[in-house]
Amino acid sequence: MKLLQYNILDGCQDAGRFARLSAWISAQTYDIICFNELNGWSDDELQKQAEDWGFSYSWLFQMKKSRYFIGVVSKFPIEVIEQSETGWYHGLLHVRIHGVHLLIAHLSSASAKERQFEAKLIIKRLKKVELANEPLALIGDLNTLSPADNAIYESNQLVRQLVQDEFLNRKFLDNEEINYRPIQILLDAGLIDAAIHRDLPFQSSVPTLINKDKMHAAELRLDYALVNAILNERHPVARIICDEYTDMLSDHYPLECCWQNNYIDGTKDS
């Protein structure tokens, strides 16, 4: 199973950039693509575009409190479990595709303390799925930093860069130290970082060459695929797709996550 997570920057409204993005997606072989920032999109537009890309199914979460819509396209039917705005900076879309629960998130860009609250909401949902003993992945632009990358951030003197800007300070720091609590809460609950546990090197997901967000002031890993123990049995591996083409598609690089597929139509393969 091949999944892609992509924050496409303000709905990718620029015609030239969208043409490049669309051509790139069409050339890929993903089974599922999860999107952040489908700003300005409609259900019909996403479904039509999904079909053009080779996907039969789509779902768009058009939030009322945020213009940063969350969506997903898939080659398999999409079962929508829940879409929620209450307590979320943007929202959370919970779907089940081909036997796997996906929590598609775009966490708060305001502060780590807000993301700590959102992480606790994710844990409550995770416990519901764990009771069902089913595979799950948390996918998205989580807007937060991981303690697994601390050595890299220390060597890059990241705190020195962040502390100089009021907004970056509030987003990532607490008393002039990186606040890793949002990710740590998720890891402590049993989620596993698919980009780390296979001993892959550090890869930043921002900035790109068309960076337009001053909150991407340094090389940061903000996009994640965190899996539960059941999905981890399928040996998931996540990596950032960084090349001369994705340099110019968004202000985030896409995140790929692949795992062995043990289910067909909700039942185990033979």
Side-chain angles (χ1 to χ4, degrees), residues 58-204:
S58 70
W59 188 268
L60 179 67
F61 182 13
Q62 294 177 297
M63 293 165 280
K64 296 180 180 179
K65 67 184 295 185
S66 171
R67 65 188 179 92
Y68 295 96
F69 297 165
I70 296 169
V72 59
V73 299
S74 172
K75 293 179 179 177
F76 307 102
I78 300 169
E79 176 189 358
V80 179
I81 306 297
E82 187 173 352
Q83 48 189 24
S84 175
E85 295 187 57
T86 304
W88 302 96
Y89 192 79
H90 296 303
L92 181 80
L93 175 61
H94 179 180
V95 299
R96 186 174 181 267
I97 301 176
H98 209 50
V100 177
H101 288 265
L102 299 177
L103 305 183
I104 307 169
H106 187 184
L107 299 190
S108 173
S109 60
S111 73
K113 290 184 178 179
E114 291 192 21
R115 293 191 297 276
Q116 285 176 219
F117 178 80
E118 292 176 313
K120 292 175 182 177
L121 291 180
I122 290 170
I123 297 310
K124 290 181 180 179
R125 181 158 299 278
L126 175 64
K127 290 179 179 178
K128 294 180 181 178
V129 177
E130 288 289 359
L131 291 175
N133 200 36
E134 295 184 349
L136 173 143
L138 169 63
I139 305 291
D141 174 4
L142 303 189
N143 260 320
T144 203
L145 304 180
S146 171
D149 303 325
N150 183 61
I152 297 293
Y153 295 144
E154 284 191 349
S155 67
N156 294 342
Q157 298 184 316
L158 179 62
V159 171
R160 180 178 294 183
Q161 298 179 63
L162 300 180
V163 77
Q164 297 177 23
D165 182 274
E166 174 187 355
F167 296 101
L168 287 168
N169 193 331
R170 184 168 64 246
K171 181 175 181 179
F172 294 115
L173 304 183
D174 186 9
N175 294 323
E176 298 189 5
E177 293 185 353
I178 295 174
N179 187 334
Y180 291 121
R181 285 297 299 155
I183 287 290
Q184 193 63 57
I185 288 170
L186 298 170
L187 298 178
D188 288 346
L191 290 179
I192 300 163
D193 188 340
I196 293 298
H197 73 298
R198 303 301 173 197
D199 297 322
L200 296 174
F202 171 81
Q203 292 181 294
S204 59

